[in-house]
Amino acid sequence: QLHLQESGPGLVKPSEALSLTCTVSGGSISSSDYFWGWIRQPPGKGPEWIGSVYYSGATFYKPSLTSRLTISVDTSKNQFSLRLTSVTAADTAIYYCVREYKGSSLADPWGQGTLVTVSS
Amino acid sequence: QSALTQPPSVSGSPGQSVTISCTGTSSDVGGYNYVSWYQQFPGKAPKLMIYDVNKRPSGVPDSFSGSKSGNTASLTISGLQAEDEADYYCCSFAGTFYVFGTGTKVTVL
């Protein structure tokens, strides 16, 4: 059974970069059937799709985050990562990684999520 | 990139049916059959209930159903149960990205 686990700092200072990694176990990140995505949810608010990456390295980003966002994949480690620069308090959220089925809106499973707080 | 519009809350008595609407535009909901619905309990990750407008993942009861007409998608919960009380979010493909709805709290009276 596929399992996704987020990891990274829980506290980031304003104006610095937020970096998270999602480790995939129980399956290969190199499958051509899936994208690997990031979704965040600010406290008390709804989810927000951030972006996704294909095993080839092709990426899709939320347009408003394009200038600050990089999502990459490391097939040798079965991991994909998110880097968001110049963070502000508005980037405080639970960050989830998720498997997205190609050619479908099916996104499952999700990781358990990790809370990232932007504060000095 | 505006969020899809959902009613803030809907309620119903046990056994009744409730329907949650999700209104977008021709660039998202109306343009693709890639609408999904998530159920979320406090402190938990969202759980996929419907994908591709009307498909149910394995394990989701058939009391949950989805549909779409024009720029509006809908989630119907039939035979409402106490354990269905949760927040529900729609999500739609919008060309190169996904957009979520504003969320609806379902209350079982």
Side-chain angles (χ1 to χ4, degrees):
Chain A
Q1 184 166 341
L2 196 80
H3 181 73
L4 284 71
Q5 181 67 57
E6 307 88 351
S7 59
L11 181 64
V12 181
K13 289 182 168 55
S15 79
E16 295 188 346
L18 179 164
S19 293
L20 296 173
T21 295
C22 181
T23 300
V24 179
S25 57
S28 173
I29 204 170
S30 298
S31 171
S32 60
D33 293 332
Y34 311 114
F35 289 89
W36 304 93
W38 289 97
I39 294 170
R40 68 181 180 181
Q41 187 168 24
K45 297 185 178 181
E48 176 188 22
W49 186 87
I50 297 173
S52 60
V53 63
Y54 198 48
Y55 77 98
S56 64
T59 52
F60 298 89
Y61 297 155
K62 179 173 180 174
S64 61
L65 295 176
T66 297
S67 62
R68 300 193 292 132
L69 180 64
T70 301
I71 298 177
S72 58
V73 62
D74 186 337
T75 55
S76 67
K77 295 182 178 179
N78 229 32
Q79 296 176 333
F80 62 106
S81 299
L82 171 154
R83 178 178 170 85
L84 186 66
T85 61
S86 304
V87 297
T88 69
D91 295 308
T92 293
I94 297 173
Y95 285 75
Y96 299 96
C97 56
V98 61
R99 178 180 64 177
E100 301 172 353
Y101 285 62
K102 190 179 178 184
S104 169
S105 58
L106 202 171
D108 186 76
W110 291 44
Q112 67 181 27
T114 186
L115 175 63
V116 178
T117 301
V118 178
S119 175
S120 56
Chain B
Q1 300 178 52
S2 297
L4 307 175
T5 302
Q6 298 180 231
S9 63
V10 299
S11 61
S13 300
Q16 289 186 330
S17 294
V18 295
T19 296
I20 304 168
S21 61
C22 170
T23 302
T25 69
S26 58
S27 296
D28 38 62
V29 175
Y32 307 93
N33 288 324
Y34 292 146
V35 177
S36 52
W37 289 90
Y38 293 87
Q39 176 190 65
Q40 187 175 33
F41 295 107
K44 300 295 186 180
K47 175 188 175 184
L48 182 69
M49 305 301 285
I50 295 287
Y51 68 99
D52 295 352
V53 176
N54 56 14
K55 298 178 182 176
R56 276 188 310 276
S58 175
V60 172
D62 59 8
S63 56
F64 289 85
S65 62
S67 63
K68 191 186 84 166
S69 178
N71 296 337
T72 299
S74 299
L75 174 72
T76 297
I77 308 174
S78 304
L80 196 63
Q81 300 182 19
E83 54 262 39
D84 298 329
E85 185 164 293
D87 293 324
Y88 292 82
Y89 296 94
C90 61
C91 179
S92 175
F93 186 62
T96 59
F97 61 96
Y98 284 89
V99 58
F100 276 88
T102 51
T104 299
K105 180 171 181 57
V106 171
T107 301
V108 182
L109 301 173

